[in-house]
Amino acid sequence: QNSMVLSAAIFITLVGLIIYLHFVKIDQESLLVIGSLGIQVTSSYASGRESSTFIEMGRVKDVVINEAIHMQKVIYYLCILLQDPEDPQGVSEVVPLFQSSMPRLDCLIEVYKSCQEILEQRKTAPQSS
């Protein structure tokens, strides 16, 4: 009976580890910004699974660096502000990026500058219908 309990505990632990690696443990996060199309956010998990989210450029109001206090520490993270369809001046949703990797502020600034360049090109480009 002890060996059955031990076998069950090992089995449950292995299943838990597999679930953790497949759904929780993120190895890599990437951001692809194409001014004429939109923004793709991809997360690669430890198991090899990938999850992608696409945000149309028409919904993007701005990209900002936000700060928060967490456990007596100031953390910085990149966010996409989505435009409210009913109020063009308002923000309907804030989408945080790189939540698992938590890059340093200097890295976030580089990504922020690149995103702002693309957003500025989109704003200054003539609108075609």
Side-chain angles (χ1 to χ4, degrees):
Q1 184 178 1
N2 285 342
S3 64
M4 276 188 64
V5 171
L6 182 59
S7 297
I10 291 172
F11 178 74
I12 290 172
T13 303
L14 287 175
V15 168
L17 181 62
I18 290 170
I19 290 171
Y20 174 77
L21 291 176
H22 192 69
F23 293 107
V24 178
K25 176 72 170 110
I26 295 177
D27 271 350
Q28 184 178 4
E29 295 175 295
S30 66
L31 180 71
L32 175 63
V33 182
I34 301 174
S36 60
L37 292 175
I39 298 174
Q40 179 177 312
V41 181
T42 304
S43 299
S44 300
Y45 293 83
S47 65
R49 182 176 76 94
E50 284 192 354
S51 170
S52 294
T53 305
F54 182 77
I55 302 169
E56 295 175 22
M57 195 54 85
R59 294 183 57 207
V60 175
K61 182 172 178 70
D62 203 0
V63 175
V64 297
I65 295 177
N66 204 358
E67 63 183 15
I69 298 173
H70 178 70
M71 302 293 284
Q72 302 173 343
K73 218 168 79 168
V74 177
I75 58 171
Y76 299 94
Y77 55 98
L78 201 63
C79 289
I80 299 173
L81 304 179
L82 299 182
Q83 193 168 20
D84 190 353
E86 297 169 6
D87 178 18
Q89 300 302 319
V91 174
S92 67
E93 191 177 345
V94 177
V95 180
L97 304 173
F98 306 124
Q99 287 189 308
S100 294
S101 55
M102 296 301 294
R104 295 184 328 257
L105 179 58
D106 57 337
C107 298
L108 287 177
I109 289 172
E110 290 300 317
V111 175
Y112 169 79
K113 286 179 182 177
S114 299
C115 290
Q116 288 300 323
E117 284 178 18
I118 294 170
L119 290 174
E120 283 301 316
Q121 289 174 359
R122 181 181 66 107
K123 288 177 184 174
T124 58
Q127 299 293 324
S128 59
S129 12

